[in-house]
């Protein structure tokens, strides 16, 4: 067997390469437009609800950051005294009015603390958008692998159905010639029917997989899927390359949560410092009709709510975020190691199943067909060889699907955290 081993896709890009046909596996026509995985990924984010939701989240947090940087609004004060009383204060004859403006002053760095919290939340929202994109790419890739594998299984089972029909023809000829008992013809007919049912079922599953993929990428799939990409299996030599967990999306999200918790603690401590309100205005004196300046300072007294509970709550949430970040680092490291092992094992299984194993099964089935048609082998030997070939073909398709699924999950785990400007998030 001539198998083309190429490097697996790196990052989020997908390379297209041509590979030789596998012995014993039916080939697909290459006519018509081929929908590559890269094209499916590029079309998948056009109208994705998850991307739209995360983008709206970034816009909302950006607006919240603008609000956090605003200063308190000044107040216009109007006060009228000595009116609607008794005696000389009846009506408005002795009324004295004051007009002024009050300006709240934030103390303790509350505004800068709010901005720091808003910036931390904005970073978290941007990372969440990157997570939504990575999750969408994983879903599209897995559906693409599922659809490609379903089409390959349809090819395998359709070929097996054709082989079963030919075996029935040979069995019928042997029965008519008196070289075999009628039970062989009946057994071959049962196998033909079962093979046709399995092929039809696989065809319906392949159609459903294509429809699911089309619904996710937002366009109908009229062409073929990239068979050459599906046949690619990378070579793995030596131990897996270490991955810096701190560069992954999961750790970046946990770190953003810690920074937001830190900013929340800072804001809680700043909130304990009371704000003051300075007011200035003018008062008209009713008796002399003179005007005098009025200046005031207002300071709240933190008796009932001194802010300690808010600080305690923020510190507890900070401790929780730090613990969760350590847990995320541990889980991500384990998940990456497990995914690397699954990729290597799936690649080894695909190479072994699609290489010597498939070639040997195809050759054994070919010899058994010739021998059975010439009366040298009995039907049991032929059926055993055909069953082994069919199982090996399906195992090869399953191994390829498992390999690509493992690669997609590993890429999702190791996707680096980036912001909108493309810089790596530390």
């Amino acid at each position: 067997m001539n198998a083309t081993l190429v490097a697996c896709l790196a990052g989020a890009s997908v390379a297209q390469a041509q590979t030789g046909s596998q012995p014993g596996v039916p080939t697909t026509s290459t006519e018509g437009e081929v929908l590559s995985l890269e094209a499916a990924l590029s079309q998948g984010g056009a109208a994705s609800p998850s991307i739209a939701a995360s983008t709206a989240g970034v816009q909302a947090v950006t607006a919240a950051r603008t609000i956090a940087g605003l200063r308190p609004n000044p107040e216009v004060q109007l006060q009228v005294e000595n009116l609607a009383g008794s005696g000389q204060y009846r009506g408005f004859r002795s009324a004295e009015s004051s007009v002024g403006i009050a300006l709240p002053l934030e103390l303790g760095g509350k505004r800068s603390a709010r901005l720091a919290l808003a910036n931390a939340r904005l970073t978290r929202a941007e990372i969440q958008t990157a997570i939504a994109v990575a999750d969408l790419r994983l879903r599209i890739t897995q559906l693409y692998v599922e659809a490609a594998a379903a089409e390959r299984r349809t090819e395998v089972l359709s070929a097996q159905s054709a082989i079963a029909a030919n075996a029935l023809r040979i069995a019928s000829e042997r029965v008519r010639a008196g070289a075999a008992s009628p039970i062989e013809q009946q057994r071959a007919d049962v196998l033909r029917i079962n093979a046709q049912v399995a092929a039809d079922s696989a065809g319906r599953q392949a159609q459903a997989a294509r429809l699911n993929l089309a619904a996710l990428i937002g366009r109908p799939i009229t062409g073929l899927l990239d068979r050459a990409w599906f046949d690619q299996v990378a070579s793995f030599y030596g131990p897996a390359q270490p991955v810096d967990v701190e560069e992954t999306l999961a750790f970046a999200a946990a770190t953003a949560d810690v920074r937001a918790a830190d900013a929340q603690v800072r804001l809680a401590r700043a909130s304990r410092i009371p704000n003051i309100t300075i007011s200035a205005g003018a008062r008209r004196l009713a008796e002399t009709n003179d005007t005098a300046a009025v200046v005031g300072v207002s300071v709240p007294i933190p008796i009932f709510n001194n802010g300690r509970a808010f600080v305690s709550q923020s510190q507890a949430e900070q401790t929780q975020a730090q613990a969760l970040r350590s847990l995320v680092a541990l889980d991500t490291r384990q998940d990456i190691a497990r995914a690397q092992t699954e990729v290597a094992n799936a690649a080894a299984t695909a190479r072994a199943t699609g290489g010597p194993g498939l070639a040997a099964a195809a050759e054994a089935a070919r010899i058994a067909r010739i021998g059975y048609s010439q009366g040298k082998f009995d039907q049991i030997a032929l059926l055993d060889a055909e069953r082994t070939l069919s199982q090996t073909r399906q195992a090869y398709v399953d191994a390829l699907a498992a390999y690509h699924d493992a690669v997609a999950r590993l890429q999702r785990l190791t996707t680096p955290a980036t912001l909108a400007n493309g810089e790596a998030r530390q």
Side-chain angles (χ1 to χ4, degrees), residues 33-347:
E33 180 184 359
V34 175
L35 176 65
S36 65
L37 175 59
E38 185 177 11
L41 290 173
S42 64
Q43 297 168 5
S48 172
S50 60
I51 303 301
S54 60
T55 302
V58 172
Q59 295 173 350
V61 177
T62 302
R65 181 186 181 280
T66 302
I67 296 174
L70 300 177
R71 301 181 184 275
N73 292 322
E75 299 177 359
V76 176
Q77 297 178 340
L78 173 62
Q79 184 177 4
V80 180
E81 300 178 358
N82 302 333
L83 77 159
S86 61
Q88 65 175 346
Y89 299 107
R90 186 185 304 274
F92 295 89
R93 290 177 299 176
S94 300
E96 296 182 352
S97 60
S98 300
V99 178
I101 185 170
L103 179 63
L105 299 179
E106 291 184 314
L107 303 179
K110 295 183 181 65
R111 180 171 176 268
S112 61
R114 288 198 308 270
L115 284 173
L117 178 59
N119 287 330
R121 289 175 175 173
L122 178 59
T123 300
R124 182 63 174 85
E126 291 172 337
I127 294 175
Q128 187 61 41
T129 299
I131 291 175
V133 172
D135 289 341
L136 178 61
R137 295 180 70 88
L138 175 60
R139 288 185 59 195
I140 293 175
T141 302
Q142 289 179 327
L143 283 178
Y144 190 95
V145 171
E146 180 183 347
E151 290 187 354
R152 291 292 298 274
R153 293 189 188 96
T154 302
E155 297 172 7
V156 170
L157 293 175
S158 296
Q160 197 64 27
S161 177
I163 292 173
N166 187 59
L168 173 61
R169 180 185 59 80
I170 296 175
S172 301
E173 293 176 354
R174 286 170 55 84
V175 169
R176 285 195 297 269
S181 65
I183 194 173
E184 290 191 7
Q185 182 178 357
Q186 296 299 324
R187 185 187 295 122
D189 192 25
V190 171
L191 293 177
R192 180 194 62 81
I193 294 173
N194 292 337
Q196 185 61 47
V197 170
D200 294 341
S201 176
R204 288 188 290 269
Q205 292 178 357
Q207 183 64 22
R210 289 173 68 92
L211 291 175
N212 290 335
L213 178 60
L216 188 59
I217 66 176
R219 54 153 287 186
I221 302 175
T222 58
L224 304 175
L225 299 182
D226 193 351
R227 181 192 179 102
W229 171 83
F230 188 75
D231 289 340
Q232 294 176 11
V233 178
S235 299
F236 293 90
Y237 300 101
Q241 295 295 325
V243 177
D244 188 1
V245 176
E246 295 185 359
E247 295 182 356
T248 62
L249 278 173
F251 189 85
T255 300
D257 290 336
V258 171
R259 290 177 178 174
D262 294 342
Q264 184 69 38
V265 171
R266 176 185 170 186
L267 179 60
R269 289 172 177 169
S271 299
R272 295 197 62 193
I273 301 176
N275 298 331
I276 64 174
T277 301
I278 299 177
S279 59
R283 170 175 291 184
R284 187 187 68 82
L285 303 177
E287 293 182 359
T288 61
N289 201 27
D290 293 330
T291 303
V294 178
V295 178
V297 177
S298 175
V299 180
I301 302 176
I303 296 178
F304 302 108
N305 182 10
N306 56 15
R308 291 181 180 177
F310 187 26
V311 172
S312 299
Q313 175 188 350
S314 301
Q315 289 175 338
E317 292 174 350
Q318 180 187 43
T319 302
Q320 181 187 36
Q322 292 171 346
L324 290 176
R325 181 175 62 178
S326 300
L327 180 61
V328 166
L330 178 61
D331 291 344
T332 302
R333 188 174 290 107
Q334 293 176 349
D335 292 341
I336 290 175
R338 187 180 301 110
Q340 289 175 332
T341 301
E342 291 176 358
V343 169
N345 291 341

Side-chain angles (χ1 to χ4, degrees), residues 24 156-157 159-161 163-164 167 187 191 194-195 357-358 360-362 364-366 368-369 378-396:
V156 170
L157 293 175
Q160 197 64 27
S161 177
I163 292 173
R187 185 187 295 122
L191 293 177
N194 292 337
L358 184 56
R366 186 187 68 84
R369 293 184 201 114
D378 58 14
Q379 191 184 41
I380 300 301
L382 174 63
L383 296 179
D384 183 67
E386 295 289 7
R387 181 172 57 254
T388 300
L389 175 59
S390 178
Q391 292 174 350
T392 305
R393 286 173 172 173
Q394 296 183 57
Y396 177 51

Side-chain angles (χ1 to χ4, degrees), residues 1 232-233 344-355 395-396 398-401 403:
M1 179 190 68
Q232 294 176 11
V233 178
N345 291 341
T349 302
R351 287 195 298 268
T353 306
Y396 177 51
D398 293 341
L400 288 175
Y403 165 74

